[in-house]
Amino acid sequence: MFDFLFKKAPKVDKLEVLKKQYSIVKNFYSKETISFERKQELSSLIEKYGYLPYSQTKAIEQLTPTEVIFCLEKKLELNNTFKENNLNFDENEISAVKRAGYQNAEWIKKEQHDIKYINLAALGDGTIDSSPAKFLDWLRQIVILPSGNDKKNILSTTVYLVPFHPRDFGNAYLTASSEEVSENITDNKLKELGICAKEQIKLFISLAQLAGHPVIYDVFPQTGRFSKTILAHPELVRWIDVKFLTEEISKSLNYVAIKLSTEYDEDDVTIVRNIYKTTLKSGSVDLAPEFKPIYNRFRDELEEKKKELSNYMTKKDEQKKLVKRVKNIIETVEGVKFNKIKNDSDIKKRGEIIGKLMDEGLWTLPDGAWCSSGIPVFEKMSECGSYPVFRHYNAKGLDVSKFADSDCQAPFYFVYLENGEYNLPVINFYVDYLQKLQEEYNFDGYRMTHSDFVVDEMSEANLRPISYRAPRFLLKKANEILKSRVPHFASMAEYRLWSGYYKEYHQDMNFDVLWGNDTKTDCEKTPAEVINNNRELQDYNSSSNKNSCISVLKTYNNQDGEFRTVNRYLGLMDRDEALFKWFKFKFLPGGKLAQRPTMYVDGDESFSKDGIEATIQDEVSLIRNDDEDFFNRFDAIRRFALNNELTIDGEAQIINEQKNGFISWMISKETVKECLIIVANYLPSNEKVLKQKSDGTMEYTIKTNNAIKGKKIEIPGDFTLACEYVWEEDKKDFVEHYSEPNIKTIEAFELEPSTFRIFKIKR
């Protein structure tokens, strides 16, 4: 079904295709020689670490194209996928996950497994050139991506790709096509050599997998409001006719005017009625003060009528009529019968089609606010008359329009909201699309974006769907089918743990990993709170009747993010605070029933404090911070935790916590006679805190925290101090400094804000 989504090609030998494409890339980039000394230097680093421990900035500055290819081949050799000067692998085992022998999604859940959020367009250095990164920069990223721990079967860092489709309004999550690849990130020189845009993406993914890295992708149940996908398949979304709606609302204005004339001056009511009628199509509502109350009454009196009209227009029978009109317009503009249009590439005149649809008043219906339910209600056209404006309501009928920020997205028409029935043709289309996308790019998993609020009162009433969101029925079906086709396939839900719906996402919808709430509660994530999160996950998994556990992502980000309004100090973090945040996630394991991977964002590893949002809103290279010392410490923390049995399989427990920021915790494992003790000052140097003013109102103020001095730690039980792991700059690592025997006390020391010390104790 829906085979037209992706053009079917005759069966090809993947190994031979990749060999040929790689040969083209190698010959194009490898044009100079590398000295023997430089080869030795690069080889020794890759053999020691499993990757080249460079930041992306350093890789851009120091690695020549030939050296990139050399390092890539060394990394491929370590993964047994490059032999005798060429790629060598079983064509059915390109995936690193499959080669590792996984038959389920346990690989993505493991403690100390890392997931890196990567935007291919952003992999250049925006401080030098803002233009989108190209293929060579992508290869640099593969070379420097950290490896895993083979002995513990922890796979190398997962590549989590931002959507690479053509964008509307520059936004990665407003796709102009769900099938095509953005030409803006295409290396035109490789294209001239026979590797097209889509093949470049596929080659990058294959090389990343052959170098040991799983690859997952962001998918979402909506598209750009006039994307090619919609124009090729208009039945996928809901449509409205704004001309009809404005005419019907205008008719009701006269009845409202008669009613209001009994309360206000009749001439004033007439003036406001005419203004209101005009602003339905365009224009400002900047009114004289005496007219504003009358205008607001018009709006309130018309509210129910607008709801009635929008609900009527989005019923199944009316949608069929609108879709027929849309198809007729597309036929006329394209000059072909609509049944000849099978996929996105058949839409040749997108701009002209969009213009004709707008002329006819035909627009797709948007999604809404994070807390809205039901159908978005048409309010009026924008001031310039160029797009429709909607109001959004929650399940209790309250206006939540102020929370809506995505009216240019069109959610797929999964449910007939008038009766709660599933729109199975659209559901089947979407599930089939997910399968085809996975097959074409060989993804190891998806993050299901916009899967938050699926099962709460905003989206369901007695299990009946009541919102634009993807219903649990669809998500369950998609996960079951994807996992039946690819047993190791991992599914992550963008669910931020509201109301604790673990069972619904795990057992009902078959997700493996939940997004978690770190991004929205960053300022509250003290070490104790991370441990509380671990225990909550333990409690659920211990009571679950499912064989496998669910995991919750630990989301690290030292850049300004989408939750600025609820984040008290994210944008203020200094280097120590950013490193301590990373350290917390790496050194607070939750034990067997609370295994949690860590996700970080490209640029975090070198303390790039802002810029990631700009790369989501436009195809530009990230403005990178050049801080090699930060990178070395960040990387060393990761390596330590990745290769220590206690941080992999152990569990952290608080020993002592004080309000001044002092905290100590122990990481232990039943079968191990050694433990780690961490002591830290968990408070940031500066933080935003709410303070009550003299008039009783609250305001944010900056609080400065101080160093902690004179603390001693009594080592518990029959343990004694073995050593301290001390950062040594010349070694770029934490090095054991051994203790004298039989020491039972860790002596007084000073801890600046957001600093830590690592000790090992033994029996």
Side-chain angles (χ1 to χ4, degrees), residues 660-703:
N660 64 357
F662 177 79
I663 192 167
S664 60
W665 70 86
M666 183 166 69
I667 308 173
S668 60
K669 182 183 176 184
E670 286 186 2
T671 58
V672 178
K673 294 182 179 181
E674 297 176 336
C675 297
L676 294 178
I677 285 186
I678 312 299
V679 294
N681 180 345
Y682 66 81
L683 291 178
S685 300
N686 299 289
E687 60 179 320
K688 283 184 180 179
V689 296
L690 275 173
K691 186 177 181 180
Q692 189 172 28
K693 297 165 64 176
S694 58
D695 61 2
T697 60
M698 304 296 288
E699 69 174 353
Y700 277 114
T701 185
I702 302 296
K703 176 187 174 185

Short mmCIF file of all heavy atoms in Angstrom, two decimals, residues 660-703:
data_model
loop_
_atom_site.label_atom_id
_atom_site.label_comp_id
_atom_site.label_asym_id
_atom_site.label_seq_id
_atom_site.Cartn_x
_atom_site.Cartn_y
_atom_site.Cartn_z
N ASN A 660 23.88 24.70 52.09
CA ASN A 660 24.91 25.58 51.54
C ASN A 660 25.50 25.07 50.24
O ASN A 660 26.40 25.69 49.67
CB ASN A 660 26.03 25.80 52.57
CG ASN A 660 26.77 24.51 52.90
OD1 ASN A 660 26.43 23.43 52.41
ND2 ASN A 660 27.79 24.63 53.74
N GLY A 661 24.98 23.93 49.75
CA GLY A 661 25.44 23.38 48.48
C GLY A 661 26.32 22.17 48.62
O GLY A 661 26.60 21.48 47.64
N PHE A 662 26.76 21.88 49.83
CA PHE A 662 27.63 20.72 50.02
C PHE A 662 26.83 19.42 49.86
O PHE A 662 25.73 19.29 50.38
CB PHE A 662 28.27 20.73 51.39
CG PHE A 662 29.13 19.52 51.65
CD1 PHE A 662 30.41 19.43 51.12
CD2 PHE A 662 28.65 18.44 52.40
CE1 PHE A 662 31.19 18.31 51.34
CE2 PHE A 662 29.42 17.32 52.61
CZ PHE A 662 30.70 17.25 52.09
N ILE A 663 27.41 18.49 49.13
CA ILE A 663 26.78 17.18 48.96
C ILE A 663 27.86 16.13 48.77
O ILE A 663 28.92 16.40 48.21
CB ILE A 663 25.81 17.17 47.76
CG1 ILE A 663 24.95 15.89 47.78
CG2 ILE A 663 26.54 17.34 46.44
CD1 ILE A 663 23.77 15.94 46.83
N SER A 664 27.58 14.95 49.27
CA SER A 664 28.45 13.79 49.01
C SER A 664 27.56 12.61 48.68
O SER A 664 26.46 12.48 49.24
CB SER A 664 29.34 13.48 50.22
OG SER A 664 28.56 13.18 51.36
N TRP A 665 28.02 11.81 47.77
CA TRP A 665 27.27 10.60 47.43
C TRP A 665 28.23 9.45 47.13
O TRP A 665 29.40 9.67 46.80
CB TRP A 665 26.28 10.82 46.31
CG TRP A 665 26.81 11.05 44.93
CD1 TRP A 665 27.14 10.10 44.00
CD2 TRP A 665 27.02 12.32 44.27
NE1 TRP A 665 27.54 10.69 42.82
CE2 TRP A 665 27.46 12.04 42.95
CE3 TRP A 665 26.86 13.64 44.66
CZ2 TRP A 665 27.75 13.05 42.04
CZ3 TRP A 665 27.15 14.66 43.75
CH2 TRP A 665 27.60 14.35 42.46
N MET A 666 27.72 8.24 47.26
CA MET A 666 28.52 7.04 47.02
C MET A 666 27.92 6.27 45.86
O MET A 666 26.70 6.16 45.72
CB MET A 666 28.55 6.15 48.27
CG MET A 666 29.43 4.91 48.12
SD MET A 666 29.77 4.10 49.72
CE MET A 666 28.15 3.48 50.14
N ILE A 667 28.78 5.73 45.01
CA ILE A 667 28.36 4.87 43.91
C ILE A 667 28.88 3.47 44.21
O ILE A 667 30.09 3.26 44.33
CB ILE A 667 28.92 5.35 42.56
CG1 ILE A 667 28.59 6.84 42.34
CG2 ILE A 667 28.34 4.52 41.42
CD1 ILE A 667 29.25 7.44 41.10
N SER A 668 27.97 2.53 44.33
CA SER A 668 28.36 1.18 44.73
C SER A 668 27.64 0.14 43.88
O SER A 668 26.65 0.43 43.21
CB SER A 668 28.03 0.95 46.21
OG SER A 668 26.63 1.10 46.43
N LYS A 669 28.18 -1.07 43.95
CA LYS A 669 27.59 -2.22 43.28
C LYS A 669 27.82 -3.43 44.19
O LYS A 669 28.92 -3.60 44.74
CB LYS A 669 28.24 -2.44 41.91
CG LYS A 669 27.65 -3.59 41.11
CD LYS A 669 28.40 -3.77 39.79
CE LYS A 669 27.88 -5.00 39.05
NZ LYS A 669 28.65 -5.27 37.81
N GLU A 670 26.81 -4.25 44.33
CA GLU A 670 26.86 -5.34 45.32
C GLU A 670 28.08 -6.23 45.18
O GLU A 670 28.69 -6.63 46.16
CB GLU A 670 25.58 -6.18 45.23
CG GLU A 670 24.35 -5.48 45.81
CD GLU A 670 23.15 -6.39 45.83
OE1 GLU A 670 23.29 -7.57 45.43
OE2 GLU A 670 22.06 -5.93 46.22
N THR A 671 28.43 -6.57 43.96
CA THR A 671 29.50 -7.56 43.76
C THR A 671 30.89 -6.95 43.71
O THR A 671 31.87 -7.66 43.51
CB THR A 671 29.24 -8.32 42.45
OG1 THR A 671 29.18 -7.38 41.37
CG2 THR A 671 27.94 -9.10 42.52
N VAL A 672 30.98 -5.64 43.89
CA VAL A 672 32.27 -4.95 43.77
C VAL A 672 32.72 -4.47 45.14
O VAL A 672 31.94 -3.89 45.90
CB VAL A 672 32.16 -3.76 42.80
CG1 VAL A 672 33.49 -3.03 42.71
CG2 VAL A 672 31.74 -4.25 41.42
N LYS A 673 33.99 -4.70 45.48
CA LYS A 673 34.52 -4.35 46.80
C LYS A 673 35.04 -2.92 46.86
O LYS A 673 35.55 -2.48 47.89
CB LYS A 673 35.64 -5.32 47.18
CG LYS A 673 35.15 -6.75 47.38
CD LYS A 673 36.28 -7.67 47.81
CE LYS A 673 35.77 -9.09 48.04
NZ LYS A 673 36.86 -10.01 48.49
N GLU A 674 34.91 -2.20 45.76
CA GLU A 674 35.31 -0.80 45.73
C GLU A 674 34.08 0.06 45.48
O GLU A 674 33.09 -0.38 44.91
CB GLU A 674 36.34 -0.56 44.63
CG GLU A 674 37.64 -1.32 44.83
CD GLU A 674 38.60 -1.13 43.66
OE1 GLU A 674 38.12 -0.83 42.55
OE2 GLU A 674 39.80 -1.31 43.87
N CYS A 675 34.15 1.29 45.93
CA CYS A 675 33.08 2.26 45.70
C CYS A 675 33.71 3.59 45.31
O CYS A 675 34.89 3.84 45.56
CB CYS A 675 32.22 2.45 46.95
SG CYS A 675 31.32 1.00 47.50
N LEU A 676 32.92 4.42 44.70
CA LEU A 676 33.33 5.80 44.46
C LEU A 676 32.59 6.72 45.43
O LEU A 676 31.40 6.52 45.70
CB LEU A 676 33.01 6.22 43.02
CG LEU A 676 33.76 5.52 41.90
CD1 LEU A 676 33.26 6.02 40.54
CD2 LEU A 676 35.26 5.73 42.02
N ILE A 677 33.28 7.71 45.95
CA ILE A 677 32.65 8.76 46.74
C ILE A 677 32.88 10.08 46.03
O ILE A 677 34.02 10.40 45.64
CB ILE A 677 33.20 8.81 48.18
CG1 ILE A 677 32.63 7.65 49.00
CG2 ILE A 677 32.83 10.13 48.84
CD1 ILE A 677 32.99 7.69 50.46
N ILE A 678 31.79 10.80 45.83
CA ILE A 678 31.86 12.11 45.19
C ILE A 678 31.53 13.16 46.24
O ILE A 678 30.56 13.02 46.99
CB ILE A 678 30.84 12.22 44.03
CG1 ILE A 678 30.93 10.99 43.10
CG2 ILE A 678 31.04 13.52 43.28
CD1 ILE A 678 32.25 10.80 42.44
N VAL A 679 32.31 14.21 46.30
CA VAL A 679 31.97 15.37 47.13
C VAL A 679 31.91 16.57 46.19
O VAL A 679 32.71 16.70 45.27
CB VAL A 679 32.98 15.60 48.26
CG1 VAL A 679 32.94 14.47 49.26
CG2 VAL A 679 34.39 15.77 47.72
N ALA A 680 30.92 17.44 46.43
CA ALA A 680 30.72 18.54 45.49
C ALA A 680 30.02 19.70 46.17
O ALA A 680 29.38 19.57 47.21
CB ALA A 680 29.89 18.05 44.30
N ASN A 681 30.17 20.84 45.55
CA ASN A 681 29.34 22.02 45.84
C ASN A 681 28.41 22.15 44.64
O ASN A 681 28.83 22.55 43.56
CB ASN A 681 30.22 23.26 45.99
CG ASN A 681 29.42 24.52 46.30
OD1 ASN A 681 28.20 24.55 46.13
ND2 ASN A 681 30.11 25.56 46.72
N TYR A 682 27.15 21.77 44.84
CA TYR A 682 26.25 21.67 43.68
C TYR A 682 25.61 22.99 43.28
O TYR A 682 24.94 23.08 42.25
CB TYR A 682 25.16 20.64 43.93
CG TYR A 682 24.16 20.96 45.02
CD1 TYR A 682 23.10 21.81 44.78
CD2 TYR A 682 24.29 20.40 46.29
CE1 TYR A 682 22.17 22.10 45.77
CE2 TYR A 682 23.37 20.68 47.29
CZ TYR A 682 22.31 21.54 47.03
OH TYR A 682 21.40 21.82 48.00
N LEU A 683 25.79 24.04 44.07
CA LEU A 683 25.18 25.32 43.72
C LEU A 683 25.97 26.01 42.60
O LEU A 683 27.20 25.89 42.53
CB LEU A 683 25.13 26.24 44.94
CG LEU A 683 24.16 25.81 46.05
CD1 LEU A 683 24.25 26.78 47.22
CD2 LEU A 683 22.73 25.73 45.54
N PRO A 684 25.30 26.76 41.73
CA PRO A 684 26.00 27.52 40.70
C PRO A 684 26.63 28.78 41.28
O PRO A 684 26.28 29.21 42.39
CB PRO A 684 24.88 27.88 39.71
CG PRO A 684 23.67 27.98 40.58
CD PRO A 684 23.84 26.91 41.63
N SER A 685 27.53 29.36 40.54
CA SER A 685 28.15 30.61 41.01
C SER A 685 27.09 31.70 41.15
O SER A 685 27.07 32.44 42.13
CB SER A 685 29.23 31.06 40.02
OG SER A 685 30.23 30.09 39.91
N ASN A 686 26.24 31.80 40.16
CA ASN A 686 25.15 32.78 40.18
C ASN A 686 23.89 32.09 39.72
O ASN A 686 23.93 31.25 38.81
CB ASN A 686 25.45 33.96 39.25
CG ASN A 686 26.70 34.72 39.66
OD1 ASN A 686 26.70 35.42 40.66
ND2 ASN A 686 27.76 34.58 38.89
N GLU A 687 22.77 32.45 40.33
CA GLU A 687 21.51 31.86 39.89
C GLU A 687 20.39 32.88 40.03
O GLU A 687 20.44 33.78 40.88
CB GLU A 687 21.18 30.60 40.67
CG GLU A 687 21.04 30.80 42.17
CD GLU A 687 20.67 29.51 42.88
OE1 GLU A 687 19.86 28.74 42.35
OE2 GLU A 687 21.21 29.30 43.99
N LYS A 688 19.40 32.73 39.19
CA LYS A 688 18.20 33.55 39.31
C LYS A 688 17.28 32.92 40.33
O LYS A 688 16.94 31.75 40.23
CB LYS A 688 17.48 33.65 37.96
CG LYS A 688 18.11 34.58 36.96
CD LYS A 688 17.24 34.67 35.71
CE LYS A 688 17.83 35.60 34.68
NZ LYS A 688 17.00 35.66 33.46
N VAL A 689 16.87 33.70 41.30
CA VAL A 689 15.93 33.21 42.30
C VAL A 689 14.81 34.22 42.47
O VAL A 689 14.99 35.43 42.28
CB VAL A 689 16.62 32.96 43.66
CG1 VAL A 689 17.65 31.86 43.55
CG2 VAL A 689 17.27 34.24 44.17
N LEU A 690 13.63 33.72 42.83
CA LEU A 690 12.50 34.60 43.09
C LEU A 690 12.63 35.19 44.50
O LEU A 690 12.86 34.47 45.47
CB LEU A 690 11.19 33.83 42.96
CG LEU A 690 10.61 33.69 41.55
CD1 LEU A 690 9.41 32.77 41.57
CD2 LEU A 690 10.24 35.05 40.98
N LYS A 691 12.46 36.49 44.60
CA LYS A 691 12.55 37.18 45.88
C LYS A 691 11.35 38.10 46.05
O LYS A 691 10.95 38.78 45.10
CB LYS A 691 13.86 37.98 45.95
CG LYS A 691 14.11 38.62 47.30
CD LYS A 691 15.45 39.34 47.29
CE LYS A 691 15.74 39.97 48.65
NZ LYS A 691 17.05 40.68 48.65
N GLN A 692 10.80 38.11 47.24
CA GLN A 692 9.64 38.94 47.50
C GLN A 692 10.07 40.38 47.76
O GLN A 692 10.96 40.66 48.56
CB GLN A 692 8.85 38.42 48.70
CG GLN A 692 7.51 39.13 48.90
CD GLN A 692 6.67 38.46 49.97
OE1 GLN A 692 7.20 37.84 50.88
NE2 GLN A 692 5.36 38.57 49.86
N LYS A 693 9.40 41.31 47.06
CA LYS A 693 9.68 42.73 47.24
C LYS A 693 8.89 43.27 48.43
O LYS A 693 8.02 42.60 48.98
CB LYS A 693 9.32 43.48 45.96
CG LYS A 693 10.15 43.06 44.76
CD LYS A 693 9.56 43.53 43.45
CE LYS A 693 9.53 45.03 43.34
NZ LYS A 693 9.02 45.47 42.00
N SER A 694 9.16 44.50 48.81
CA SER A 694 8.50 45.10 49.97
C SER A 694 7.00 45.25 49.77
O SER A 694 6.23 45.25 50.74
CB SER A 694 9.12 46.48 50.26
OG SER A 694 8.99 47.32 49.12
N ASP A 695 6.56 45.36 48.51
CA ASP A 695 5.13 45.50 48.25
C ASP A 695 4.42 44.15 48.12
O ASP A 695 3.23 44.08 47.79
CB ASP A 695 4.88 46.33 46.99
CG ASP A 695 5.49 45.68 45.74
OD1 ASP A 695 6.05 44.56 45.84
OD2 ASP A 695 5.39 46.28 44.66
N GLY A 696 5.14 43.06 48.37
CA GLY A 696 4.54 41.74 48.33
C GLY A 696 4.64 41.02 47.01
O GLY A 696 4.38 39.82 46.93
N THR A 697 5.03 41.73 45.94
CA THR A 697 5.19 41.09 44.63
C THR A 697 6.52 40.37 44.56
O THR A 697 7.42 40.60 45.37
CB THR A 697 5.09 42.14 43.50
OG1 THR A 697 6.14 43.11 43.68
CG2 THR A 697 3.73 42.84 43.53
N MET A 698 6.64 39.49 43.56
CA MET A 698 7.85 38.68 43.41
C MET A 698 8.65 39.17 42.20
O MET A 698 8.08 39.60 41.19
CB MET A 698 7.48 37.21 43.24
CG MET A 698 6.63 36.64 44.35
SD MET A 698 7.43 36.62 45.96
CE MET A 698 8.64 35.31 45.70
N GLU A 699 9.96 39.07 42.30
CA GLU A 699 10.82 39.40 41.17
C GLU A 699 12.04 38.49 41.19
O GLU A 699 12.44 37.97 42.23
CB GLU A 699 11.27 40.86 41.23
CG GLU A 699 12.24 41.17 42.37
CD GLU A 699 12.79 42.58 42.32
OE1 GLU A 699 12.53 43.28 41.33
OE2 GLU A 699 13.51 42.96 43.27
N TYR A 700 12.61 38.28 39.98
CA TYR A 700 13.84 37.51 39.90
C TYR A 700 15.03 38.40 40.25
O TYR A 700 15.11 39.56 39.84
CB TYR A 700 14.03 36.95 38.48
CG TYR A 700 13.27 35.67 38.23
CD1 TYR A 700 12.22 35.64 37.32
CD2 TYR A 700 13.61 34.50 38.90
CE1 TYR A 700 11.52 34.47 37.09
CE2 TYR A 700 12.93 33.33 38.68
CZ TYR A 700 11.87 33.31 37.77
OH TYR A 700 11.18 32.14 37.54
N THR A 701 15.93 37.83 41.01
CA THR A 701 17.16 38.54 41.35
C THR A 701 18.33 37.58 41.25
O THR A 701 18.13 36.35 41.26
CB THR A 701 17.08 39.12 42.78
OG1 THR A 701 18.25 39.91 43.03
CG2 THR A 701 16.98 38.01 43.81
N ILE A 702 19.53 38.10 41.10
CA ILE A 702 20.72 37.27 40.98
C ILE A 702 21.30 37.00 42.37
O ILE A 702 21.60 37.93 43.12
CB ILE A 702 21.78 37.92 40.09
CG1 ILE A 702 21.21 38.20 38.70
CG2 ILE A 702 23.02 37.02 40.00
CD1 ILE A 702 20.82 36.96 37.94
N LYS A 703 21.44 35.73 42.69
CA LYS A 703 22.04 35.33 43.96
C LYS A 703 23.44 34.78 43.69
O LYS A 703 23.62 33.92 42.81
CB LYS A 703 21.19 34.26 44.63
CG LYS A 703 21.79 33.70 45.91
CD LYS A 703 20.97 32.52 46.42
CE LYS A 703 21.65 31.86 47.62
NZ LYS A 703 20.94 30.63 48.05
#
